[in-house]
Amino acid sequence: MKTEKSSSRVDVRTGKLSGEGVVSSVRTLGQTGGLFSDKAALSAADPDTVVYSVESHEATEAGTRGGLFFGTSTVKPGRVGDEYFMTKGHFHSRIECAEYYWGISGRGVLLLMDESGSCRAEEVTEGSLHYIPGGVAHRLINTGEVDLVVGACWPSDAGHDYAAIADRGFPVRLVCRDGEPFFEEAAR
Ligand SMILES: [Fe+2]
């Protein structure tokens, strides 16, 4: 038997993925603008501005029972009005599926919401480890001045349910007030 080199790599310092099975996607303000509450600030911003990107290593088909996906999300620094750049956020389609996140670089917040709408938030920094249980929606928010880079590992049959968030939203939004992150109630 011969030892082989893996055809895929992760740069452990930056989270950058390369090689076979790596797919990537980018979300711009034009695609995610509905997330932000300040519509005047949104219309004044360039819709091609990148809000976040995701690279993932998908060695199996989406929906494969028992498989795993591995990825790196990068949320850009920036705000729409006073609201920090963030990911759309999602429950998993198979709602019982959990996920790990870990902070690689930058500074931000992991906003978590259970099915009853109850929220909590964890600080994300280099080396912070976050277990997201099943039944909990998750959103990353960049509160810093540089990219927020976060690693993730989740079941390949978890899926993403964005509709529940689009319908209901998170009950809080994170804004910059006097230079500091501050949670305020989201208007319904
Ligand atoms: Fe997830």
Side-chain angles (χ1 to χ4, degrees), residues 35 37 83 86 88-91 110-121 136-139 141 164-175 182-188:
L35 298 175
S37 69
E83 193 169 19
M86 59 185 156
K88 284 200 283 189
H90 59 268
F91 286 99
L110 171 60
L111 180 61
L112 301 162
M113 176 176 71
D114 68 19
E115 290 179 85
S116 73
S118 173
C119 280
R120 63 190 185 85
V136 173
H138 33 293
R139 163 177 283 171
I141 306 165
I165 300 298
D167 286 352
R168 232 169 31 156
F170 284 81
V172 292
R173 57 191 208 100
L174 192 53
V175 299
F182 179 82
F183 279 108
E184 65 177 30
E185 217 170 295
R188 292 301 178 91

Side-chain angles (χ1 to χ4, degrees), residues 90 92 99 101 138 160:
H90 59 268
H92 291 147
E99 181 165 6
Y101 275 6
H138 33 293
H160 295 88

Side-chain angles (χ1 to χ4, degrees), residues 60-69 92-97 154-160:
T60 188
E61 292 287 315
T64 302
R65 196 133 196 170
L68 292 172
F69 287 154
H92 291 147
S93 303
R94 277 192 59 209
I95 197 138
E96 72 275 20
C97 288
W154 66 102
S156 48
D157 58 346
H160 295 88

Side-chain angles (χ1 to χ4, degrees), residues 30-166:
Q31 295 165 318
T32 61
L35 298 175
F36 298 94
S37 69
D38 187 337
K39 302 306 175 197
L42 181 66
S43 63
D46 180 350
D48 292 332
T49 304
V50 173
V51 179
Y52 64 98
S53 60
V54 180
E55 267 188 342
S56 54
H57 181 253
E58 304 194 356
T60 188
E61 292 287 315
T64 302
R65 196 133 196 170
L68 292 172
F69 287 154
F70 181 95
T72 302
S73 295
T74 301
V75 186
K76 305 304 285 184
R79 296 197 299 265
V80 174
D82 58 3
E83 193 169 19
Y84 295 102
F85 278 11
M86 59 185 156
T87 63
K88 284 200 283 189
H90 59 268
F91 286 99
H92 291 147
S93 303
R94 277 192 59 209
I95 197 138
E96 72 275 20
C97 288
E99 181 165 6
Y100 270 113
Y101 275 6
W102 57 96
I104 295 172
S105 61
R107 187 163 59 94
V109 168
L110 171 60
L111 180 61
L112 301 162
M113 176 176 71
D114 68 19
E115 290 179 85
S116 73
S118 173
C119 280
R120 63 190 185 85
E122 295 182 358
E123 188 181 42
V124 183
T125 55
E126 182 185 332
S128 62
L129 183 63
H130 309 272
Y131 180 72
I132 303 163
V136 173
H138 33 293
R139 163 177 283 171
L140 285 167
I141 306 165
N142 187 345
T143 57
E145 304 298 321
V146 299
D147 288 357
L148 172 66
V149 185
V150 175
C153 189
W154 66 102
S156 48
D157 58 346
H160 295 88
D161 177 4
Y162 296 108
I165 300 298

